[in-house]
């Protein structure tokens, strides 16, 4: 499935929630079920520095697809990471570079992406794209 | 404990922002240690200034300039009286506490040499650590830390052991922003003076709760930010003993701080202007005075008593929540509760509380050494003011309980 389709799927899912609590409970659930990143990748080099919660991201190429694994010490942040991974992982680097992130706004999580929110998520998206650029250069 | 004599509902009407809704719920503002809210009386002073006598001060021959200068200087005198400062020129307007601390740290560059020591407390805000580290890098002096115990109190025995004739400066906050501890500054000052060291006390967190008497304390420097005491942001004060302020070199060059300028030599203006280069925050300074008037009209004794009532209520109610641990249980404490719930990141609790319209601070509160001491990533911090209510604390407790249920 392409990034666009996946994002539409996420937007559809989120449209079913009646209030913020359902939405956050869902995200907390996603956070709890996020596959764990290998301990060896939870290094300081892989930390995306946000002010409050720590976020680790690791990327590796599997054939022509870029696979992301990530973790955070805060569960809501982890839930959002799970959504981002669903949208961007296992895709071609060029598609990740080209993808827009408007769906975040559509599912009502824009507040988490405001740069002033200081939770590192803007940096996280930037980091995913930077990985994609790096691996795309390698593929070329 | 006796119930407050303050009419809290009447006081709340002075603060327009308290009528706001956040995420569809009435705002519960418990981030007072970060910044306090502003009453209409202070907002009116700012509006009145810009509508009626906005002009540059200390230099104009014209009517408005004189009016603005008078108002600004009256504010200086209000601040002087409030803190029982001996002379009005010992009140230096700054952009806030951080600016004031940097001014002193910069000034001490010329007084320190390798082998000298500066003591700072273990519970300082970053803004109180970094300037001293920079000062030590410039001068070769050494920074030493007064340790704290698990309750968040300074270990006074260790402090006494650290003091020596090498100690040139002691730096300590009056009240810790992260834990709420009220430090025994009188004892700290007296012991430092006994070895000939100067003392700078950061009063930013104390000012909303305690009316400090700088002459009784015999403190050398004391700093305050207006925005913690119902005033505007971007303005604060450095109090310094006259003898110290005369010794310190100017911090910034510019207009207003000079007596005479030629290309060969500049002579500096007298106190306080020597440290007040450039056009200051005039409306802010005037509003700072109005904010102190406002708080004094309510009365600091009544404020302190009521805030203590809120603190005790919040502490006992929060402690009923399973797994909740409070950080900082000093016997002398301002109205700040820093806490975590076992197994939950403070950021997650803060996010859920925000959804409920409750404003708290989460994170390390710019005091990472404290978080390292407790080996935690941060805390949730609720800080109370005299315009808060027990009903709001009930909302906080219910919110934390709800967050716990969702997150565990």
């Amino acid at each position: 499935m392409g990034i666009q389709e996946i994002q539409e799927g996420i937007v559809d899912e989120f449209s079913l929630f009646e209030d913020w609590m359902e939405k956050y409970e869902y995200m907390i659930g996603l956070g709890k079920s996020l596959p764990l990143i290998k301990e060896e990748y939870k290094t300081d080099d892989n930390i995306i520095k946000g002010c409050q919660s720590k976020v680790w991201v690791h990327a590796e190429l599997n054939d022509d697809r870029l696979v992301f694994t990530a973790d955070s010490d805060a569960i809501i942040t982890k839930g959002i990471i799970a959504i981002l991974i669903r949208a961007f992982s296992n895709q071609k680097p060029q598609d990740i570079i080209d993808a827009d992130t408007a769906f975040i706004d559509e599912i009502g999580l824009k507040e988490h992406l405001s740069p002033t929110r200081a939770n590192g998520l803007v940096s996280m998206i930037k980091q995913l794209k930077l990985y994609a650029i790096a691996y795309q250069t390698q593929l070329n | 404990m006796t119930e407050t004599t303050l009419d809290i509902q009447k006081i709340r009407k002075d603060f327009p922002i308290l009528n706001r809704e956040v995420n569809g719920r009435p705002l519960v503002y418990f981030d007072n240690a970060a910044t306090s809210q502003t009453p209409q009386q202070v907002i009116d002073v700012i509006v009145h200034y810009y509508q009626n006598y906005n002009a540059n001060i200390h230099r104009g021959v014209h009517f408005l300039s004189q009016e603005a200068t008078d108002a600004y200087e009256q504010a200086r005198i209000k601040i002087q009286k409030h803190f029982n400062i001996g002379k009005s020129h010992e009140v230096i307007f700054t952009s806030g506490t951080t600016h004031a601390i940097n001014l002193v740290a910069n000034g001490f560059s010329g007084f320190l040499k390798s082998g000298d020591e500066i003591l700072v407390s273990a519970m300082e805000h970053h803004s109180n650590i970094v300037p001293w580290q920079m000062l030590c890098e410039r001068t070769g002096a050494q920074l030493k830390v007064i340790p704290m115990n698990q309750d968040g109190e300074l270990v006074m025995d260790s402090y006494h052991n650290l003091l020596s004739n090498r100690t040139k400066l002691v730096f300590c906050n009056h009240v810790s922003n992260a834990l709420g501890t009220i430090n025994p500054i009188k004892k700290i000052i007296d012991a430092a003076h006994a070895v000939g060291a100067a003392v700078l006390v950061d009063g930013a967190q104390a000012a909303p709760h305690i009316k400090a008497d700088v002459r009784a304390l015999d403190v050398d420097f004391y700093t305050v930010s207006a925005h913690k005491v119902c005033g505007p942001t971007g303005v604060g004060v450095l109090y310094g003993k006259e003898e110290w302020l005369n010794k310190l070199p100017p911090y910034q060059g510019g207009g207003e701080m000079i007596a005479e300028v030629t290309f060969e030599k500049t002579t500096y203006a007298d106190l306080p202007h020597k440290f007040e280069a450039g056009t200051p925050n005039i409306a802010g300074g005037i509003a700072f005075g109005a904010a102190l008037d406002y708080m004094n009209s309510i009365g600091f004794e009544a404020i302190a008593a009521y805030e203590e009532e809120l603190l005790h209520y919040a502490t006992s109610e929060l402690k009923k929540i399973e797994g909740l641990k409070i950080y900082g249980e000093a016997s002398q404490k301002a109205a700040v509760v820093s806490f975590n719930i076992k197994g939950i990141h403070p950021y997650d609790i803060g996010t859920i509380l925000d959804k409920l319209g409750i404003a708290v601070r989460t994170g390390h509160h710019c005091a990472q050494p404290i978080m390292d001491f407790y080996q935690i990533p941060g805390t949730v911090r609720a800080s109370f003011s005299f315009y808060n209510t027990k009903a709001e604390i009930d909302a906080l407790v219910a919110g934390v309980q709800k967050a716990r249920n969702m997150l565990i």
Side-chain angles (χ1 to χ4, degrees), chain A residues 20-22 24-25 28 32 51-54 73-77 108 111-112 117-119 121, chain B residues 23 25 344-352 354-356 361-364 377 402 406-408:
Chain A
W20 72 269
M21 267 194 62
E22 285 186 7
Y24 273 70
E25 273 166 354
I28 290 162
K32 286 179 180 166
C51 191
Q52 306 226 342
S53 51
K54 282 185 183 163
D73 54 354
I75 199 79
I76 295 172
T77 309
E111 64 196 42
H112 289 280
R117 196 80 185 182
N119 58 9
L121 286 168
Chain B
N23 291 322
R25 292 168 186 256
I344 304 180
H345 195 283
Y347 177 78
D348 288 326
I349 296 173
T351 303
I352 301 291
D354 175 54
K355 283 282 161 198
L356 295 165
R361 175 90 186 259
T362 66
H364 53 56
K402 182 174 235 171
M406 287 176 76
L407 291 160
I408 278 287

Side-chain angles (χ1 to χ4, degrees), chain B residues 318-333:
Chain B
L318 283 167
K319 275 187 173 172
K320 291 177 188 165
I321 296 171
E322 205 187 322
L324 188 141
K325 179 174 164 52
I326 290 175
Y327 294 91
E329 296 206 80
S331 58
Q332 298 293 310
K333 234 186 114 170

Side-chain angles (χ1 to χ4, degrees), chain B residues 197-261:
Chain B
V199 182
L200 193 164
V201 172
D202 169 5
Q205 292 296 333
H209 316 287
I210 302 164
K211 194 168 175 170
D213 179 333
V214 299
R215 273 193 288 181
L217 288 168
D218 195 27
V219 67
D220 301 286
F221 302 98
Y222 195 87
T223 63
V224 179
S225 289
H227 73 98
K228 309 275 194 202
V229 287
C230 299
T233 55
V235 63
V237 146
L238 167 69
Y239 157 73
K241 281 183 184 165
E242 186 179 30
E243 59 192 271
W244 273 115
L245 293 177
N246 280 331
K247 263 192 251 177
L248 293 184
Y251 179 44
Q252 289 173 324
E256 186 116 8
M257 53 77 73
I258 41 84
E260 206 174 345
V261 176

Side-chain angles (χ1 to χ4, degrees), chain A residues 56-117:
Chain A
W56 295 266
V57 179
H58 172 73
E60 60 190 21
L61 208 53
N62 185 0
D63 291 333
D64 60 345
R65 305 270 168 158
L66 197 53
V67 177
F68 295 113
T69 46
D71 199 0
S72 171
D73 54 354
I75 199 79
I76 295 172
T77 309
K78 227 169 143 175
I80 297 169
I81 291 171
I83 295 166
L84 293 180
I85 286 192
R86 189 168 140 202
F88 294 109
S89 187
N90 213 16
Q91 300 290 338
K92 292 178 180 165
Q94 190 59 52
D95 293 344
I96 297 169
I97 296 167
D98 295 339
D100 81 15
T101 53
F103 79 106
I104 299 283
D105 198 356
E106 287 174 51
I107 61 178
L109 294 181
K110 195 184 174 191
E111 64 196 42
H112 289 280
L113 291 172
S114 140
T116 55
R117 196 80 185 182

Side-chain angles (χ1 to χ4, degrees), chain B residues 190-388:
Chain B
D190 289 347
H193 285 170
V195 298
V199 182
L200 193 164
V201 172
D202 169 5
Q205 292 296 333
H209 316 287
I210 302 164
K211 194 168 175 170
D213 179 333
V214 299
R215 273 193 288 181
L217 288 168
D218 195 27
V219 67
D220 301 286
F221 302 98
Y222 195 87
T223 63
V224 179
S225 289
H227 73 98
K228 309 275 194 202
V229 287
C230 299
T233 55
V235 63
V237 146
L238 167 69
Y239 157 73
K241 281 183 184 165
E242 186 179 30
E243 59 192 271
W244 273 115
L245 293 177
N246 280 331
K247 263 192 251 177
L248 293 184
Y251 179 44
Q252 289 173 324
E256 186 116 8
M257 53 77 73
I258 41 84
E260 206 174 345
V261 176
T262 66
F263 280 110
E264 286 71 40
K265 186 172 169 55
T266 294
T267 47
Y268 303 123
D270 291 334
L271 294 174
H273 306 296
K274 173 178 146 187
F275 294 108
E276 295 183 350
T279 300
N281 182 349
I282 303 166
I286 297 167
F288 188 175
L292 291 178
D293 282 347
Y294 177 81
M295 290 193 67
N296 279 312
S297 75
I298 294 169
F300 272 80
E301 272 183 35
I303 286 173
Y306 178 57
E307 286 176 352
E308 203 176 337
E309 199 179 313
L310 291 178
L311 175 67
H312 284 294
Y313 184 66
T315 304
S316 65
E317 291 301 305
L318 283 167
K319 275 187 173 172
K320 291 177 188 165
I321 296 171
E322 205 187 322
L324 188 141
K325 179 174 164 52
I326 290 175
Y327 294 91
E329 296 206 80
S331 58
Q332 298 293 310
K333 234 186 114 170
V336 171
V337 187
S338 234
F339 63 91
N340 274 334
I341 293 178
K342 198 166 187 264
I344 304 180
H345 195 283
Y347 177 78
D348 288 326
I349 296 173
T351 303
I352 301 291
L353 290 177
D354 175 54
K355 283 282 161 198
L356 295 165
I358 302 168
V360 292
R361 175 90 186 259
T362 66
H364 53 56
H365 317 298
C366 298
Q368 270 175 350
I370 296 181
M371 303 305 139
D372 292 345
F373 175 80
Y374 288 118
Q375 297 184 316
I376 49 176
T379 66
V380 181
R381 182 189 70 187
S383 48
F384 312 114
S385 182
F386 56 90
Y387 45 69
N388 289 131

